[in-house]
């Protein structure tokens, strides 16, 4: 019987949740939902009953080894971390990981689910139903099945997937669309034929390998070199750095004729900014308070406050983001949540050694 594997991609270094998220401790290692469980650990937990711990793998860079091991304790095997020699986007990362699975006992007919490490999904039962159906559809049709999120507003920050005719419990993929402008996003929403692309998919390993070969020969040409040098860290790195820096969407998904889409049975949030916390944390008197230790609220609404183990008092303020930790206090209007990256950019350009440790 074919086995199920999962690959969790955890090498990102985004700083959209600065000052908590930094290059040394990215978002996937943070516990942002009011408990002490990291987003990576929650991602692994969602595969409980679907994929055995020994068949779960995390892909990351070597600098994040300790963070991974701290977050994934008892949720993966001792060989469950695959190290990417350098960040080269998701195309090379996934191809390297598939070769690792095959070199370590996976059969080419086995199925693999590939997911990001830092998304929030509250409906775990719905997630498991979707993954189970996705594995079934991928196996029966020998295809790549991607999970589509039913859009509930015209979002301009996501790529979209247009569905075609039905195929089992899913649909053929008619095409992938880039991030649209607002008017185009409204037409997508109104048509009912489009999904948000959440970057989650599953397939038989051999189908993914053959589609890399067919759709991305510029990546696949390195497969034999990687296979032959897997025990030699230096050789792997030399080969890996020659591979094109390309996403899995551009390398395979947008070119393949074997991609199907399955509508998600769960909520989904990629936590793209502090503002997104409003949709995943229960409000406290019309405010979003995260990890606070008591509060006093007077005529204050729509604020997002991250203040671990601190008493929060808000008086006559509206729609602000307030983030405080041991080193930084950040306050900005909610509508400017994307400007966090400008703060990070300023600190990096400043080159003040005492500040660089903050990013």
């Amino acid at each position: 019987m074919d086995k199920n594997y999962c690959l969790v991609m955890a090498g990102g270094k985004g700083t959209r949740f600065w000052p908590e998220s930094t290059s040394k401790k990215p978002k996937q290692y943070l516990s942002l939902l009011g408990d002490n469980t990291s987003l990576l650990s929650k991602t692994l937990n969602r595969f409980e009953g679907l994929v055995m711990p020994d068949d779960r793998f995390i892909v990351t860079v070597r600098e994040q080894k300790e963070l991974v091991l701290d977050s994934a304790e008892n949720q993966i095997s001792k060989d469950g971390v695959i190290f990417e020699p350098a960040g080269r986007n998701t195309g090379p990362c996934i191809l390297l990981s598939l070769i690792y699975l095959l070199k370590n006992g996976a059969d080419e007919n086995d199925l693999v689910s590939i997911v990001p490490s830092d998304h929030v999904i509250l409906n775990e039962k719905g997630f498991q139903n979707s993954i189970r159906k996705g594995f079934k559809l991928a196996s029966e049709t020998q295809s790549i099945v991607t999970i589509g999120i039913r859009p509930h507003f015209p979002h301009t920050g996501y790529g979209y997937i247009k569905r075609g005719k039905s195929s089992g419990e899913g649909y053929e993929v008619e095409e992938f669309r880039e991030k649209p402008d607002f008017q185009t996003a409204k037409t997508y929403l109104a048509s009912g034929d489009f999904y948000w692309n959440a970057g989650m998919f599953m397939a038989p390993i051999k189908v993914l390998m053959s589609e890399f070969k067919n759709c991305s020969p510029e990546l696949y040409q390195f497969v034999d070199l990687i296979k032959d040098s897997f025990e030699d860290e230096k050789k792997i790195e030399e080969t890996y750095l020659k591979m094109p820096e390309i996403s899995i969407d551009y390398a395979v998904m947008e070119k393949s004729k074997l991609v199907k889409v399955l509508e998600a049975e769960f909520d989904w949030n990629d936590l793209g900014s502090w503002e997104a916390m409003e949709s995943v944390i229960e409000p406290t008197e019309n405010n979003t308070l995260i990890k606070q230790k008591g509060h006093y609220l007077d005529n204050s609404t729509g604020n997002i406050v991250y203040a671990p183990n601190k008493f929060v008092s808000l008086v006559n303020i509206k729609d602000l983001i307030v983030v405080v930790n041991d080193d930084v206090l950040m306050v900005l209007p909610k509508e400017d949540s994307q400007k966090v990256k400008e703060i990070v950019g300023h600190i990096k350009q400043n080159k003040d050694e005492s500040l660089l440790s903050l990013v």
Side-chain angles (χ1 to χ4, degrees), residues 103-122:
K103 292 281 282 185
N104 284 272
D107 185 86
E108 64 173 11
N109 292 306
D110 290 338
L111 294 149
V112 61
S113 175
I114 300 172
V115 299
S117 60
D118 58 356
H119 294 179
V120 173
I121 294 167
L122 301 177

PDB file of all heavy atoms in Angstrom, residues 103-122:
ATOM      1  N   LYS A 103      15.762   8.851  -1.821  1.00  0.00           N
ATOM      2  CA  LYS A 103      17.040   8.297  -1.346  1.00  0.00           C
ATOM      3  C   LYS A 103      16.891   7.672   0.040  1.00  0.00           C
ATOM      4  O   LYS A 103      17.722   6.868   0.456  1.00  0.00           O
ATOM      5  CB  LYS A 103      18.112   9.396  -1.277  1.00  0.00           C
ATOM      6  CG  LYS A 103      18.547   9.941  -2.628  1.00  0.00           C
ATOM      7  CD  LYS A 103      19.522   9.040  -3.357  1.00  0.00           C
ATOM      8  CE  LYS A 103      20.919   9.173  -2.795  1.00  0.00           C
ATOM      9  NZ  LYS A 103      21.894   8.379  -3.571  1.00  0.00           N
ATOM     10  N   ASN A 104      15.840   8.063   0.761  1.00  0.00           N
ATOM     11  CA  ASN A 104      15.662   7.584   2.135  1.00  0.00           C
ATOM     12  C   ASN A 104      14.470   6.632   2.278  1.00  0.00           C
ATOM     13  O   ASN A 104      13.836   6.580   3.325  1.00  0.00           O
ATOM     14  CB  ASN A 104      15.533   8.763   3.092  1.00  0.00           C
ATOM     15  CG  ASN A 104      16.868   9.431   3.365  1.00  0.00           C
ATOM     16  OD1 ASN A 104      17.600   9.046   4.266  1.00  0.00           O
ATOM     17  ND2 ASN A 104      17.200  10.424   2.553  1.00  0.00           N
ATOM     18  N   GLY A 105      14.170   5.891   1.219  1.00  0.00           N
ATOM     19  CA  GLY A 105      13.219   4.791   1.350  1.00  0.00           C
ATOM     20  C   GLY A 105      11.837   5.002   0.791  1.00  0.00           C
ATOM     21  O   GLY A 105      11.034   4.061   0.753  1.00  0.00           O
ATOM     22  N   ALA A 106      11.500   6.220   0.365  1.00  0.00           N
ATOM     23  CA  ALA A 106      10.177   6.432  -0.233  1.00  0.00           C
ATOM     24  C   ALA A 106      10.116   5.744  -1.588  1.00  0.00           C
ATOM     25  O   ALA A 106      11.113   5.656  -2.307  1.00  0.00           O
ATOM     26  CB  ALA A 106       9.891   7.921  -0.379  1.00  0.00           C
ATOM     27  N   ASP A 107       8.936   5.252  -1.933  1.00  0.00           N
ATOM     28  CA  ASP A 107       8.695   4.663  -3.244  1.00  0.00           C
ATOM     29  C   ASP A 107       8.127   5.742  -4.162  1.00  0.00           C
ATOM     30  O   ASP A 107       7.419   6.650  -3.705  1.00  0.00           O
ATOM     31  CB  ASP A 107       7.703   3.506  -3.120  1.00  0.00           C
ATOM     32  CG  ASP A 107       7.511   2.770  -4.431  1.00  0.00           C
ATOM     33  OD1 ASP A 107       8.305   1.856  -4.725  1.00  0.00           O
ATOM     34  OD2 ASP A 107       6.579   3.132  -5.183  1.00  0.00           O
ATOM     35  N   GLU A 108       8.426   5.634  -5.444  1.00  0.00           N
ATOM     36  CA  GLU A 108       7.945   6.679  -6.367  1.00  0.00           C
ATOM     37  C   GLU A 108       6.420   6.725  -6.460  1.00  0.00           C
ATOM     38  O   GLU A 108       5.835   7.733  -6.873  1.00  0.00           O
ATOM     39  CB  GLU A 108       8.548   6.479  -7.760  1.00  0.00           C
ATOM     40  CG  GLU A 108       8.152   5.199  -8.443  1.00  0.00           C
ATOM     41  CD  GLU A 108       8.625   5.122  -9.893  1.00  0.00           C
ATOM     42  OE1 GLU A 108       9.433   5.972 -10.308  1.00  0.00           O
ATOM     43  OE2 GLU A 108       8.165   4.206 -10.601  1.00  0.00           O
ATOM     44  N   ASN A 109       5.746   5.636  -6.058  1.00  0.00           N
ATOM     45  CA  ASN A 109       4.274   5.631  -6.071  1.00  0.00           C
ATOM     46  C   ASN A 109       3.670   6.230  -4.808  1.00  0.00           C
ATOM     47  O   ASN A 109       2.457   6.445  -4.746  1.00  0.00           O
ATOM     48  CB  ASN A 109       3.755   4.201  -6.244  1.00  0.00           C
ATOM     49  CG  ASN A 109       4.071   3.645  -7.613  1.00  0.00           C
ATOM     50  OD1 ASN A 109       3.735   4.250  -8.628  1.00  0.00           O
ATOM     51  ND2 ASN A 109       4.754   2.504  -7.651  1.00  0.00           N
ATOM     52  N   ASP A 110       4.496   6.475  -3.797  1.00  0.00           N
ATOM     53  CA  ASP A 110       3.999   7.081  -2.561  1.00  0.00           C
ATOM     54  C   ASP A 110       3.519   8.504  -2.829  1.00  0.00           C
ATOM     55  O   ASP A 110       3.948   9.163  -3.786  1.00  0.00           O
ATOM     56  CB  ASP A 110       5.090   7.098  -1.495  1.00  0.00           C
ATOM     57  CG  ASP A 110       5.430   5.710  -0.974  1.00  0.00           C
ATOM     58  OD1 ASP A 110       4.581   4.806  -1.110  1.00  0.00           O
ATOM     59  OD2 ASP A 110       6.547   5.530  -0.443  1.00  0.00           O
ATOM     60  N   LEU A 111       2.641   8.967  -1.957  1.00  0.00           N
ATOM     61  CA  LEU A 111       2.048  10.294  -2.106  1.00  0.00           C
ATOM     62  C   LEU A 111       2.706  11.281  -1.153  1.00  0.00           C
ATOM     63  O   LEU A 111       3.097  10.919  -0.038  1.00  0.00           O
ATOM     64  CB  LEU A 111       0.544  10.229  -1.808  1.00  0.00           C
ATOM     65  CG  LEU A 111      -0.263   9.407  -2.823  1.00  0.00           C
ATOM     66  CD1 LEU A 111      -1.460   8.757  -2.155  1.00  0.00           C
ATOM     67  CD2 LEU A 111      -0.720  10.284  -3.970  1.00  0.00           C
ATOM     68  N   VAL A 112       2.801  12.528  -1.580  1.00  0.00           N
ATOM     69  CA  VAL A 112       3.383  13.558  -0.728  1.00  0.00           C
ATOM     70  C   VAL A 112       2.481  14.788  -0.745  1.00  0.00           C
ATOM     71  O   VAL A 112       1.950  15.170  -1.785  1.00  0.00           O
ATOM     72  CB  VAL A 112       4.826  13.915  -1.175  1.00  0.00           C
ATOM     73  CG1 VAL A 112       4.855  14.452  -2.606  1.00  0.00           C
ATOM     74  CG2 VAL A 112       5.461  14.908  -0.225  1.00  0.00           C
ATOM     75  N   SER A 113       2.291  15.358   0.429  1.00  0.00           N
ATOM     76  CA  SER A 113       1.572  16.634   0.566  1.00  0.00           C
ATOM     77  C   SER A 113       2.597  17.705   0.902  1.00  0.00           C
ATOM     78  O   SER A 113       3.438  17.520   1.790  1.00  0.00           O
ATOM     79  CB  SER A 113       0.527  16.529   1.688  1.00  0.00           C
ATOM     80  OG  SER A 113      -0.083  17.789   1.899  1.00  0.00           O
ATOM     81  N   ILE A 114       2.540  18.819   0.191  1.00  0.00           N
ATOM     82  CA  ILE A 114       3.526  19.894   0.364  1.00  0.00           C
ATOM     83  C   ILE A 114       2.796  21.148   0.806  1.00  0.00           C
ATOM     84  O   ILE A 114       1.865  21.616   0.129  1.00  0.00           O
ATOM     85  CB  ILE A 114       4.307  20.126  -0.945  1.00  0.00           C
ATOM     86  CG1 ILE A 114       5.031  18.834  -1.342  1.00  0.00           C
ATOM     87  CG2 ILE A 114       5.285  21.284  -0.792  1.00  0.00           C
ATOM     88  CD1 ILE A 114       5.688  18.865  -2.709  1.00  0.00           C
ATOM     89  N   VAL A 115       3.189  21.678   1.976  1.00  0.00           N
ATOM     90  CA  VAL A 115       2.464  22.806   2.565  1.00  0.00           C
ATOM     91  C   VAL A 115       3.438  23.824   3.153  1.00  0.00           C
ATOM     92  O   VAL A 115       4.547  23.476   3.547  1.00  0.00           O
ATOM     93  CB  VAL A 115       1.495  22.343   3.683  1.00  0.00           C
ATOM     94  CG1 VAL A 115       0.432  21.391   3.142  1.00  0.00           C
ATOM     95  CG2 VAL A 115       2.258  21.703   4.836  1.00  0.00           C
ATOM     96  N   PRO A 116       3.014  25.094   3.235  1.00  0.00           N
ATOM     97  CA  PRO A 116       3.808  26.092   3.952  1.00  0.00           C
ATOM     98  C   PRO A 116       3.749  25.843   5.454  1.00  0.00           C
ATOM     99  O   PRO A 116       2.858  25.135   5.950  1.00  0.00           O
ATOM    100  CB  PRO A 116       3.133  27.431   3.593  1.00  0.00           C
ATOM    101  CG  PRO A 116       2.221  27.122   2.445  1.00  0.00           C
ATOM    102  CD  PRO A 116       1.827  25.689   2.609  1.00  0.00           C
ATOM    103  N   SER A 117       4.676  26.446   6.174  1.00  0.00           N
ATOM    104  CA  SER A 117       4.794  26.193   7.621  1.00  0.00           C
ATOM    105  C   SER A 117       4.127  27.247   8.485  1.00  0.00           C
ATOM    106  O   SER A 117       4.015  27.065   9.696  1.00  0.00           O
ATOM    107  CB  SER A 117       6.277  26.141   8.006  1.00  0.00           C
ATOM    108  OG  SER A 117       6.908  27.383   7.691  1.00  0.00           O
ATOM    109  N   ASP A 118       3.689  28.365   7.887  1.00  0.00           N
ATOM    110  CA  ASP A 118       3.327  29.526   8.712  1.00  0.00           C
ATOM    111  C   ASP A 118       1.920  30.045   8.471  1.00  0.00           C
ATOM    112  O   ASP A 118       1.628  31.205   8.732  1.00  0.00           O
ATOM    113  CB  ASP A 118       4.344  30.655   8.490  1.00  0.00           C
ATOM    114  CG  ASP A 118       4.431  31.092   7.032  1.00  0.00           C
ATOM    115  OD1 ASP A 118       3.764  30.474   6.173  1.00  0.00           O
ATOM    116  OD2 ASP A 118       5.165  32.069   6.759  1.00  0.00           O
ATOM    117  N   HIS A 119       1.032  29.184   7.961  1.00  0.00           N
ATOM    118  CA  HIS A 119      -0.344  29.601   7.752  1.00  0.00           C
ATOM    119  C   HIS A 119      -1.203  29.179   8.944  1.00  0.00           C
ATOM    120  O   HIS A 119      -0.850  28.265   9.688  1.00  0.00           O
ATOM    121  CB  HIS A 119      -0.902  28.998   6.466  1.00  0.00           C
ATOM    122  CG  HIS A 119      -0.226  29.524   5.231  1.00  0.00           C
ATOM    123  ND1 HIS A 119      -0.547  29.109   3.963  1.00  0.00           N
ATOM    124  CD2 HIS A 119       0.766  30.452   5.083  1.00  0.00           C
ATOM    125  CE1 HIS A 119       0.211  29.747   3.080  1.00  0.00           C
ATOM    126  NE2 HIS A 119       1.020  30.556   3.743  1.00  0.00           N
ATOM    127  N   VAL A 120      -2.330  29.862   9.102  1.00  0.00           N
ATOM    128  CA  VAL A 120      -3.241  29.546  10.204  1.00  0.00           C
ATOM    129  C   VAL A 120      -4.492  28.890   9.642  1.00  0.00           C
ATOM    130  O   VAL A 120      -5.137  29.424   8.735  1.00  0.00           O
ATOM    131  CB  VAL A 120      -3.622  30.820  10.997  1.00  0.00           C
ATOM    132  CG1 VAL A 120      -4.706  30.506  12.026  1.00  0.00           C
ATOM    133  CG2 VAL A 120      -2.397  31.403  11.688  1.00  0.00           C
ATOM    134  N   ILE A 121      -4.818  27.715  10.177  1.00  0.00           N
ATOM    135  CA  ILE A 121      -6.031  26.978   9.819  1.00  0.00           C
ATOM    136  C   ILE A 121      -6.664  26.535  11.127  1.00  0.00           C
ATOM    137  O   ILE A 121      -6.070  25.758  11.876  1.00  0.00           O
ATOM    138  CB  ILE A 121      -5.693  25.767   8.925  1.00  0.00           C
ATOM    139  CG1 ILE A 121      -5.144  26.244   7.573  1.00  0.00           C
ATOM    140  CG2 ILE A 121      -6.920  24.874   8.735  1.00  0.00           C
ATOM    141  CD1 ILE A 121      -4.492  25.158   6.745  1.00  0.00           C
ATOM    142  N   LEU A 122      -7.836  27.056  11.419  1.00  0.00           N
ATOM    143  CA  LEU A 122      -8.477  26.754  12.700  1.00  0.00           C
ATOM    144  C   LEU A 122      -9.329  25.483  12.629  1.00  0.00           C
ATOM    145  O   LEU A 122      -9.469  24.783  13.615  1.00  0.00           O
ATOM    146  CB  LEU A 122      -9.325  27.948  13.151  1.00  0.00           C
ATOM    147  CG  LEU A 122      -8.547  29.273  13.323  1.00  0.00           C
ATOM    148  CD1 LEU A 122      -9.499  30.410  13.712  1.00  0.00           C
ATOM    149  CD2 LEU A 122      -7.435  29.126  14.348  1.00  0.00           C
TER     150      LEU A 122
END
